[in-house]
């Protein structure tokens, strides 16, 4: 999932380097390497277009994703801050999202291909649905956590890491009980060394190789 796009450039440096362009190039590089390793890969956007957050999540669900990786670039007011990081959903956010889903009047299955819930929700079933949804969140969150830890260790071989590189947040693209998901910040566009890396096709290729290594370790 290459972040941003179109009218939304993401973060940028002096209008010369935009997050949306960096992450699209990296995503295409990673896709090629993964396909060469026998995986099926789908990008939420193939070019410079804007895609709503909900559409990104729905796209992954329709494709029956086994793993969702949202690619981004970070920024800071301090130009000394640098390094790679990865986010997964926090337990508090996970509980809140499970509760929200349990209260939805849904016309179809929340769990698409998983088929865990295939009926309309109603108030009388909310507690039961909440239980099932929370369990699903817990399962994918464990998988997300495990993959994030592996990814950090692999990328550390090729890139500087942000202090506490595995972090937790409630990003919208992480809020699905259907598949494991992580949000990656490749580096800081506001830091000279990171910015040079982000501009480097060689660096991007080397880091993409480490993504492949992490996926291979986790899924093969």
């Amino acid at each position: 999932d290459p972040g941003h796009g179109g009218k939304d450039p993401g973060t940028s440096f002096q209008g010369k380097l935009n997050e949306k362009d960096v992450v699209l190039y990296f995503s295409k590089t990673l896709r090629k390497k993964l396909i060469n390793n026998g995986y099926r890969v789908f990008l939420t956007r193939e070019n410079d277009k804007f895609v709503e957050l909900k559409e990104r999540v729905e796209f992954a669900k329709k494709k029956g994703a086994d793993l969702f990786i949202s690619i981004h670039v970070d920024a800071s007011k301090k130009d000394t801050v640098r390094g790679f990081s990865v986010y997964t959903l926090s337990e508090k956010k996970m509980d809140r999202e499970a509760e929200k889903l349990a209260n939805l009047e849904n016309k179809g299955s929340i769990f698409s291909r998983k088929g865990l819930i295939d009926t309309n929700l109603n108030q009388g079933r909310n507690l039961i649905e909440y239980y099932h949804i929370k369990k699903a969140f817990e399962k994918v969150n464990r998988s997300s956590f495990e993959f994030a830890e592996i990814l950090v260790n692999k990328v550390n071989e090729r890139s500087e890491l942000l202090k506490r590189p595995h972090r937790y947040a409630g990003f919208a693209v992480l809020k699905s009980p259907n598949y494991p998901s992580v949000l990656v910040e490749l580096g800081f566009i506001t830091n000279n060394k990171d910015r040079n890396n982000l501009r480097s096709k060689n660096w991007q290729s080397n880091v993409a190789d480490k993504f492949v290594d992490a996926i291979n370790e986790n899924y093969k």
Side-chain angles (χ1 to χ4, degrees):
D1 170 45
H4 307 282
K7 64 182 181 181
D8 176 18
T11 191
S12 64
F13 178 73
Q14 297 180 351
K16 298 178 181 178
L17 185 65
N18 292 321
E19 177 180 5
K20 66 177 184 178
D21 300 320
V22 172
V23 299
L24 181 59
Y25 182 86
F26 180 84
S27 297
K28 288 183 175 181
T29 300
L30 178 57
R31 175 177 62 178
K32 184 176 179 179
K33 291 176 181 292
L34 286 170
I35 289 174
N36 289 340
N37 274 261
Y39 294 99
R40 295 178 68 215
V41 185
F42 301 95
L43 299 187
T44 54
R45 66 180 179 94
E46 299 270 354
N47 48 41
D48 185 20
K49 71 174 183 178
F50 177 73
V51 182
E52 296 282 355
L53 295 176
K54 288 183 178 180
E55 291 178 23
R56 297 170 188 267
V57 175
E58 188 63 27
F59 176 85
K61 191 161 63 174
K62 286 180 178 179
K63 295 296 183 183
D66 294 302
L67 176 65
F68 181 88
I69 305 176
S70 191
I71 308 294
H72 290 261
V73 170
D74 220 332
S76 174
K77 292 180 180 179
K78 297 181 179 179
D79 61 11
T80 55
V81 178
R82 65 174 303 210
F84 174 93
S85 61
V86 57
Y87 289 82
T88 53
L89 195 64
S90 67
E91 288 190 8
K92 288 184 178 180
K93 291 290 184 181
M94 179 181 70
D95 288 346
R96 290 174 189 167
E97 291 309 311
E99 186 173 358
K100 287 179 183 178
L101 286 176
N103 284 285
L104 285 175
E105 288 291 333
N106 198 350
K107 293 183 179 180
S109 170
I110 289 176
F111 290 85
S112 63
R113 74 187 184 101
K114 304 298 183 184
L116 294 180
I117 297 177
D118 197 20
T119 184
N120 290 347
L121 303 184
N122 54 62
Q123 290 183 347
R125 292 177 57 87
N126 277 357
L127 289 178
I128 297 174
E129 306 300 4
Y130 171 73
Y131 172 81
H132 286 299
I133 293 168
K134 185 178 180 182
K135 287 298 179 184
F137 263 113
E138 289 174 352
K139 182 178 179 181
V140 299
N141 216 41
R142 281 195 299 272
S143 296
S144 301
F145 177 90
E146 291 169 1
F147 175 71
E149 291 289 300
I150 294 171
L151 182 60
V152 164
N153 289 332
K154 295 294 184 182
V155 171
N156 190 32
E157 299 172 10
R158 288 291 183 178
S159 181
E160 185 81 11
L161 300 180
L162 182 64
K163 186 178 180 180
R164 294 187 299 105
H166 183 184
R167 301 184 172 213
Y168 304 92
F171 291 113
V173 291
L174 300 179
K175 296 178 180 179
S176 174
N178 292 277
Y179 45 77
S181 55
V182 298
L183 184 143
V184 166
E185 300 280 4
L186 294 175
F188 284 77
I189 203 169
T190 45
N191 177 270
N192 286 334
K193 291 182 178 179
D194 274 6
R195 189 167 57 255
N196 287 337
N197 285 339
L198 295 171
R199 283 175 165 152
S200 167
K201 292 182 179 180
N202 185 57
W203 180 88
Q204 288 210 22
S205 179
N206 287 334
V207 172
D209 284 336
K210 295 305 164 184
F211 274 62
V212 175
D213 289 346
I215 292 170
N216 283 339
E217 182 171 324
N218 204 56
Y219 288 93
K220 279 192 174 181

